[in-house]
Amino acid sequence: MKILTYISSLFLGGFVYLLFAAYMTGSAGLNSANPLISVAFAILIFGFLSWFHFFKPKTGALLLTIAFVVMYLTWPVHLLIEYFLENGYKPELIEIIPPILLGFSTIFLAWKSKNSDLNKWLKLALAIPPTILGFYVGGYMAYQMI
């Protein structure tokens, strides 16, 4: 179960980052910081919270839940509102449904697998790649903002 949580959280963070990175380009004409907050939490989920629940199961599941809620409520929820209420841009369902499904499955798996344990070396091996990539992408994003 912990490996499924790990994989679904990687997909969640990567999907949201790649999906909303397109909206953060100059052509999108963004008028708020909500997309930046959403992408920052996607990087946090991908780089840190995808593996933190290996070492601290209850704290990791709680942080993963909080990060998903903040990530989703800061900006993707606006896409959902625009889809049903606004007359302007109509996002496709591929922009709305996968983050919700991946988020709920990740949270469910994190809470369900909090009592299982993995080998120490497997935990470390699974933690290193997303951490390095998360630092790289987060550092690059921070550098570009400065």
Side-chain angles (χ1 to χ4, degrees):
M1 284 293 225
K2 287 217 179 256
I3 300 296
L4 288 175
T5 307
Y6 173 76
I7 291 169
S8 66
S9 62
L10 288 179
F11 278 134
L12 173 66
F15 185 85
V16 170
Y17 176 78
L18 293 174
L19 177 67
F20 297 118
Y23 288 104
M24 293 192 321
T25 61
S27 63
L30 300 175
N31 55 6
S32 72
N34 286 341
L36 296 176
I37 294 169
S38 181
V39 168
F41 273 93
I43 293 170
L44 181 69
I45 288 171
F46 185 91
F48 176 67
L49 296 176
S50 64
W51 57 264
F52 183 70
H53 65 90
F54 291 154
F55 300 98
K56 301 285 184 186
K58 289 183 182 178
T59 306
L62 180 65
L63 289 175
L64 194 58
T65 304
I66 292 169
F68 169 71
V69 168
V70 171
M71 177 191 71
Y72 198 76
L73 290 182
T74 52
W75 196 56
V77 75
H78 296 290
L79 287 178
L80 193 62
I81 291 168
E82 285 183 15
Y83 184 77
F84 289 110
L85 298 179
E86 300 293 325
N87 293 329
Y89 173 69
K90 288 284 193 189
E92 296 293 326
L93 288 178
I94 189 91
E95 298 171 281
I96 299 168
I97 301 297
I100 293 173
L101 294 179
L102 285 170
F104 285 130
S105 66
T106 300
I107 291 169
F108 173 75
L109 290 170
W111 284 102
K112 188 160 176 70
S113 68
K114 67 182 179 198
N115 295 328
S116 62
D117 199 18
L118 294 175
N119 181 338
K120 178 176 81 168
W121 297 108
L122 181 60
K123 289 179 190 177
L124 291 174
L126 291 173
I128 291 171
T131 304
I132 292 172
L133 191 59
F135 275 130
Y136 172 74
V137 172
Y140 180 76
M141 187 175 137
Y143 177 73
Q144 291 299 321
M145 288 175 44
I146 296 175

